[in-house]
């Protein structure tokens, strides 16, 4: 398993690398300072199974790094780690193709939990046919909450979990249903009889 950490701040990069080594002992962790080194790293180490990307790098502008990496590795989970508050940048990053947005101020445990959930969301979803209703109890709960129009913060409060955990649950639900947004999830749920109203 190849885990890529792309961050131009050495201290932050080392912290994420240490987290990943704890989460996946034995995995190959590839450290890069900028997007420009990705092609050479792939030739040397192989394609990434997870990418942790700092949003602001010397060779990126806005969400250009996300677009570039998603073009190269459309199926690889991509976590954006940023110093910018989620309110400022999260929506744009998710629209650009990031799977989760994590504020660097979240702390090691929160970041670790979010990355663990991404690492554990392996290809098992793809085996389900689109009409297969095998959703977990939590995923069914989420669909109802999305239908009620609750925000991630409200869902987190109601379920007694962190906002990052909510984001990971939503990401897994989207993958399971083959959708990309809350709106598509609700539409899918309604057309497949998952919502009774």
């Amino acid at each position: 398993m190849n885990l890529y950490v792309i961050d131009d701040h050495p201290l932050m990069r080392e912290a994420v690398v240490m987290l990943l080594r704890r989460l996946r002992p034995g995995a190959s962790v590839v450290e890069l300072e900028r997007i420009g080194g990705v092609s050479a790293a792939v030739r040397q180490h192989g394609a990434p199974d997870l990418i942790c990307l700092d949003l602001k790098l010397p060779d990126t502008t806005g969400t250009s790094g996300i677009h570039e990496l998603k073009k190269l590795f459309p199926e690889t989970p991509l976590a954006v780690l940023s110093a910018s508050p989620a309110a400022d940048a999260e929506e744009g990053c998710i629209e650009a193709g990031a799977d989760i947005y994590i504020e660097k101020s979240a702390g090691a445990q929160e970041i670790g939990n979010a990355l663990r959930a991404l690492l554990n969301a392996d290809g098992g979803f793809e085996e389900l046919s689109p009409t297969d209703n095998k959703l977990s109890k939590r995923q069914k709960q989420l669909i109802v909450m999305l239908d009620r129009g609750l925000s991630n913060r409200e869902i987190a409060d109601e379920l007694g979990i962190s906002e990052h955990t909510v984001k990971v649950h939503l990401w897994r639900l989207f993958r399971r249903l083959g959708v990309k947004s809350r709106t598509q999830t609700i539409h899918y749920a309604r057309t497949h009889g998952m919502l009774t109203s």
Side-chain angles (χ1 to χ4, degrees):
M1 175 173 263
N2 295 319
L3 312 175
Y4 279 49
V5 181
I6 309 170
D7 195 320
D8 63 327
H9 193 285
L11 201 60
M12 189 64 202
R13 193 173 63 241
E14 284 167 29
V16 175
V17 166
M18 278 171 50
L19 261 177
L20 289 172
R21 288 206 168 114
R22 272 212 311 265
L23 292 172
R24 278 288 181 280
S28 163
V29 183
V30 180
E31 298 180 53
L32 298 168
E33 291 179 21
R34 53 194 66 211
I35 301 267
V38 169
S39 297
V42 169
R43 283 194 297 276
Q44 189 179 343
H45 305 281
D49 296 295
L50 172 74
I51 302 167
C52 295
L53 174 70
D54 179 17
L55 188 57
K56 293 180 178 150
L57 293 168
D59 59 347
T60 63
T61 313
T63 56
S64 67
I66 301 169
H67 286 288
E68 201 173 321
L69 290 169
K70 275 301 185 184
K71 209 179 291 173
L72 293 170
F73 316 105
E75 298 304 313
T76 303
L78 191 152
V80 169
L81 290 155
S82 177
S84 303
D88 297 344
E90 179 174 30
E91 204 172 314
C93 289
I94 301 297
E95 280 173 12
D99 294 297
I100 190 168
Y101 185 93
I102 307 168
E103 291 181 23
K104 287 182 176 179
S105 60
Q109 188 172 351
E110 273 290 301
I111 294 171
N113 288 344
L115 295 178
R116 181 184 296 110
L118 280 183
L119 286 167
N120 292 341
D122 49 29
F125 300 143
E126 273 56 335
E127 294 159 23
L128 292 171
S129 67
T131 54
D132 199 328
N133 255 359
K134 286 182 190 154
L135 294 177
S136 69
K137 189 178 162 199
R138 177 55 49 92
Q139 288 171 328
K140 289 173 185 166
Q141 251 182 330
L142 277 177
I143 289 173
V144 172
M145 290 173 148
L146 291 179
D147 191 46
R148 284 168 50 203
L150 298 185
S151 68
N152 286 359
R153 171 81 279 156
E154 290 165 332
I155 293 171
D157 290 344
E158 202 162 307
L159 295 177
I161 57 179
S162 80
E163 215 170 327
H164 283 303
T165 306
V166 171
K167 289 175 194 173
V168 174
H169 281 313
L170 287 174
W171 175 73
R172 295 170 99 164
L173 175 64
F174 292 173
R175 277 181 63 125
R176 171 74 57 101
L177 299 179
V179 299
K180 294 204 180 301
S181 69
R182 290 163 161 259
T183 312
Q184 287 178 4
T185 302
I186 294 164
H187 177 73
Y188 182 99
R190 285 191 185 285
T191 55
H192 289 80
M194 294 176 181
L195 290 164
T196 46
S197 56

